Amino acid sequence: LLSFLPERSNLAGVRHILLVLSGKGGVGKSTISTELALSLRHSGKKVGILDVDLCGPSIPRMFRVQDNNVHQCDSGWVPVFVDQDKSISLMSIGFLLEKPDDAVVWRGPKKNALIKQFVADVAWGDLDFLIVDTPPGTSDEHISTVEALRPYKPLGAILVTTPQAVSVGDVRRELTFCKKTGLRVLGIVENMSGFVCPHCSECTNIFSKGGGEELAKHAGVPFLGCVPLDPQLSQSLEEGRDFIQEFPKSSAFPALAHIAQQILDGMSQRSS
């Protein structure tokens, strides 16, 4: 019994846990996690991001804190704060690597142990949301993450896809994973849904369109919206800047704000 006590206390102040999943790599899970965190912060929420993508930890860079170190306190690791008012905090294996180019060449058991430690030993304090950015697929790490978080009753999962049939097929498998592990699907986001020309603002569907919406309809889960490819969004992520503050006129902005709003609405419905 005693071994569970520190676990319970470290996540005791976290009101809602969201997992960002996809059956596929390169669809923009870290982008959606980052922009969702920024959107929720702009709604006055305190947000943490737990980056369990052990082989490709990109979250620290997207917030321009990749050179920060993680410190220990009595109840475990102190997450890295992005801003002065500590409204966004992060934990990632990226902070634990000696050199940023180090590869994580680990077998499953070691990865699983680290994920358990991330869930149990990070002193998050009080958070409205903890967003968990996961690796691609339905691998070991996914199962470990869901199992480790199960006692804390996560709010559910957001599935990210790009519009093409190949990506949608992979995300369909992720829906099956959620069903098998008893994880509620909050909805599907179609990312890279058309390219917005920075000169004339015309939207071109590079990857076709509508696959995510169709999948949501087919699976009977909410469709949270389409986020277009926007060079300004990519640039702000590369440079670790706050896209939502800098580019309110971008067509990706209302899409991201709409997704965040639906999550907030769903949360208030559940608590009422």
Side-chain angles (χ1 to χ4, degrees):
L1 180 69
L2 284 173
S3 65
F4 289 118
L5 290 177
E7 243 179 283
R8 197 168 298 150
S9 60
N10 267 342
L11 281 170
V14 177
R15 291 178 62 203
H16 304 286
I17 300 171
L18 295 173
L19 286 91
V20 177
L21 306 174
S22 177
K24 196 170 177 55
V27 296
K29 286 181 297 298
S30 298
T31 297
I32 296 295
S33 298
T34 297
E35 297 307 325
L36 193 53
L38 291 168
S39 300
L40 291 167
R41 174 177 75 180
H42 282 279
S43 305
K45 303 297 176 192
K46 276 190 89 163
V47 189
I49 302 184
L50 175 57
D51 182 5
V52 294
D53 189 348
L54 303 184
C55 298
S58 44
I59 292 284
R61 174 158 188 165
M62 288 179 169
F63 285 96
R64 217 198 235 159
V65 288
Q66 65 269 36
D67 298 328
N68 289 39
N69 293 318
V70 167
H71 302 289
Q72 293 274 346
C73 67
D74 290 346
S75 51
W77 285 325
V78 181
V80 169
F81 294 102
V82 169
D83 50 5
Q84 293 280 279
D85 53 1
K86 299 188 173 181
S87 60
I88 296 183
S89 48
L90 313 175
M91 177 49 84
S92 168
I93 196 172
F95 298 130
L96 306 177
L97 300 174
E98 280 188 22
K99 293 195 276 302
D101 297 336
D102 283 355
V104 180
V105 188
W106 291 357
R107 288 187 183 275
K110 195 171 177 189
K111 287 181 178 176
N112 297 346
L114 181 68
I115 287 170
K116 283 191 182 119
Q117 204 176 345
F118 270 172
V119 169
D121 292 347
V122 180
W124 293 107
D126 290 331
L127 291 180
D128 294 300
F129 288 94
L130 177 63
I131 297 169
V132 183
D133 183 28
T134 64
T138 50
S139 59
D140 245 19
E141 288 102 301
H142 277 77
I143 299 164
S144 301
T145 306
V146 173
E147 288 301 308
L149 288 170
R150 196 183 297 286
Y152 309 103
K153 298 187 173 53
L155 189 61
I158 293 164
L159 271 51
V160 183
T161 184
T162 51
Q164 328 82 305
V166 172
S167 174
V168 167
D170 290 341
V171 177
R172 192 173 275 128
R173 285 186 273 281
E174 196 75 42
L175 279 163
T176 315
F177 170 82
C178 291
K179 200 171 276 181
K180 283 189 170 164
T181 52
L183 191 59
R184 181 167 166 254
V185 177
L186 298 175
I188 292 175
V189 172
E190 184 176 294
N191 196 24
M192 306 186 203
S193 184
F195 169 74
V196 182
C197 172
H199 306 294
C200 68
S201 299
E202 191 177 313
C203 190
T204 309
N205 296 323
I206 302 175
F207 297 134
S208 78
K209 190 167 171 56
E213 193 162 4
E214 211 156 291
L215 175 62
K217 204 178 288 175
H218 171 78
V221 298
F223 181 65
L224 298 175
C226 299
V227 180
L229 267 172
D230 184 335
Q232 292 174 321
L233 174 56
S234 313
Q235 196 182 344
S236 78
L237 287 163
E238 287 283 291
E239 294 169 10
R241 302 205 313 268
D242 185 340
F243 174 79
I244 284 164
Q245 220 159 15
E246 291 191 10
F247 301 110
K249 290 191 174 70
S250 155
S251 54
F253 175 85
L256 291 160
H258 178 62
I259 291 164
Q261 193 52 54
Q262 286 180 88
I263 286 160
L264 290 168
D265 292 347
M267 178 192 92
S268 55
Q269 277 166 13
R270 285 196 81 188
S271 52
S272 62

